Amino acid sequence: MTSGMVFVIVSNLILSRLNQTGKMYYSGFLYGGVGFGICVSGAAIPTIQSNYGWEGTWISLGLLSGVFMVAIMLGMWKQGNSDASAPLSAQTSKNRHPELVQNRKQAKYALYISYTGEGFGYIIFGTFITAMLVKNPSFAFESSYVWAIVGVGAIPSCLFWSWLGTRLSPVRALKWAYMMQIISILIPVFTDHLLLTLLSALGFGATFMGITTLTLTLAKSLEAAGPNLVSGLTAAYAIGQLLGPVVAGTIISVNDFTIPFMISAVVLVAALITINSIKERKGDASNAVRKHQSY
């Protein structure tokens, strides 16, 4: 519960600030931090657990989170001091929104549907990929290292997808991210080759936070379509995250991992189709984004 609350609050605070100052492309650093955390924890857990057990692992990760908390508080304190001297007009003059889509209301509903599907689809892979690998006889090392690989893919992914969003448009970049994620999730369904499975984990890591970055960045540009859109989308995402493991776990208890992964891919295909229904404004949308970010 606290994790979900922090995710919503932090996303809203930082995205609002970046939107206010016309620097939404920095959102990639925010969500790239998730990949960094996954990589650090995935790489550290086997060593810590072998020496101190699961209890020591939890305590160690808690202490590490405390170190990050101190760094965050120091950064916020410095940011607060630097903002105090800046006039409000200088901060708000950059709050300009490029018109990216033709119908804001339709785009809002499409984002709700697709982001719920993303929460449902991605969490099945994220929850059960390690359990699937444990049953793979060719997988000879700690399954948590897979999460380190996911993190390696996630660290630069948000910056990449943010960049691609400025080159193409956020909507088109989002479509490519969904397609790449669908392929990554389907790889373990059709092969148990270790290298391809690890490539699947890398591709998954390279997309799941990128989709979050693009979706919430696009949501911020659609604020006129409804207040607190980021919060609503995050809640919808959470609903998908709750339903995914319940459905997949029920099926796995009487079957193998293939069917849940196929269901995940089908839901993500539906999310992609929904995103495809968003109509971009005529003209060069990518130029509008770049112009917006140059203010």
Side-chain angles (χ1 to χ4, degrees):
M1 289 177 65
T2 54
S3 176
M5 290 172 62
V6 169
F7 188 83
V8 172
I9 294 170
V10 169
S11 295
N12 264 318
L13 287 175
I14 295 181
L15 290 178
S16 295
R17 176 63 177 170
L18 293 177
N19 189 56
Q20 183 186 57
T21 55
K23 297 178 179 179
M24 284 298 289
Y25 48 92
Y26 282 132
S27 62
F29 289 98
L30 167 64
Y31 296 113
V34 176
F36 176 73
I38 291 173
C39 183
V40 170
S41 60
I45 283 174
T47 301
I48 299 173
Q49 186 169 359
S50 64
N51 291 307
Y52 303 105
W54 70 265
E55 299 93 337
T57 303
W58 276 107
I59 294 172
S60 299
L61 292 176
L63 293 174
L64 181 60
S65 299
V67 172
F68 284 127
M69 182 186 70
V70 172
I72 292 167
M73 294 180 69
L74 289 174
M76 291 176 65
W77 176 73
K78 291 180 179 179
Q79 180 70 27
N81 287 344
S82 63
D83 288 347
S85 59
L88 182 61
S89 58
Q91 297 177 23
T92 58
S93 63
K94 299 178 182 179
N95 185 17
R96 307 179 186 183
H97 303 273
E99 295 293 333
L100 301 179
V101 299
Q102 294 183 19
N103 189 321
R104 288 175 180 264
K105 192 172 183 180
Q106 179 184 354
K108 180 185 75 170
Y109 291 134
L111 287 179
Y112 267 114
I113 295 171
S114 64
Y115 206 43
T116 304
E118 167 64 10
F120 180 95
Y122 107 89
I123 199 63
I124 291 176
F125 184 97
T127 302
F128 295 105
I129 184 60
T130 53
M132 173 186 272
L133 290 176
V134 167
K135 294 189 176 183
N136 185 347
S138 64
F139 193 78
F141 53 90
E142 287 285 347
S143 59
S144 63
Y145 285 141
V146 174
W147 271 108
I149 295 173
V150 170
V152 169
I155 291 171
S157 70
C158 300
L159 296 175
F160 168 76
W161 291 112
S162 294
W163 170 82
L164 191 64
T166 65
R167 302 303 300 176
L168 301 177
S169 75
V171 176
R172 278 181 276 182
L174 197 54
K175 294 175 187 177
W176 281 106
Y178 271 108
M179 285 189 283
M180 183 175 175
Q181 185 175 89
I182 291 166
I183 293 170
S184 297
I185 288 176
L186 285 175
I187 287 175
V189 173
F190 296 104
T191 178
D192 60 356
H193 191 280
L194 180 59
L195 183 59
L196 290 177
T197 303
L198 296 180
L199 184 63
S200 167
L202 187 66
F204 172 76
T207 54
F208 83 102
M209 290 310 305
I211 289 173
T212 294
T213 301
L214 290 169
T215 299
L216 298 186
T217 299
L218 187 58
K220 272 298 176 184
S221 72
L222 296 173
E223 280 186 329
N228 301 319
L229 185 54
V230 170
S231 299
L233 285 171
T234 306
Y237 189 69
I239 292 172
Q241 285 181 304
L242 287 170
L243 293 176
V246 172
V247 173
T250 302
I251 295 172
I252 290 171
S253 65
V254 295
N255 209 303
D256 60 13
F257 295 93
T258 301
I259 295 177
F261 277 45
M262 290 292 292
I263 293 173
S264 171
V266 169
V267 171
L268 290 172
V269 168
L272 173 61
I273 293 172
T274 305
I275 288 294
N276 198 54
S277 69
I278 299 178
K279 304 299 181 183
E280 298 178 87
R281 289 184 64 86
K282 294 180 180 179
D284 191 352
S286 61
N287 284 338
V289 176
R290 288 196 292 272
K291 184 177 179 181
H292 171 64
Q293 294 179 345
S294 67
Y295 288 137

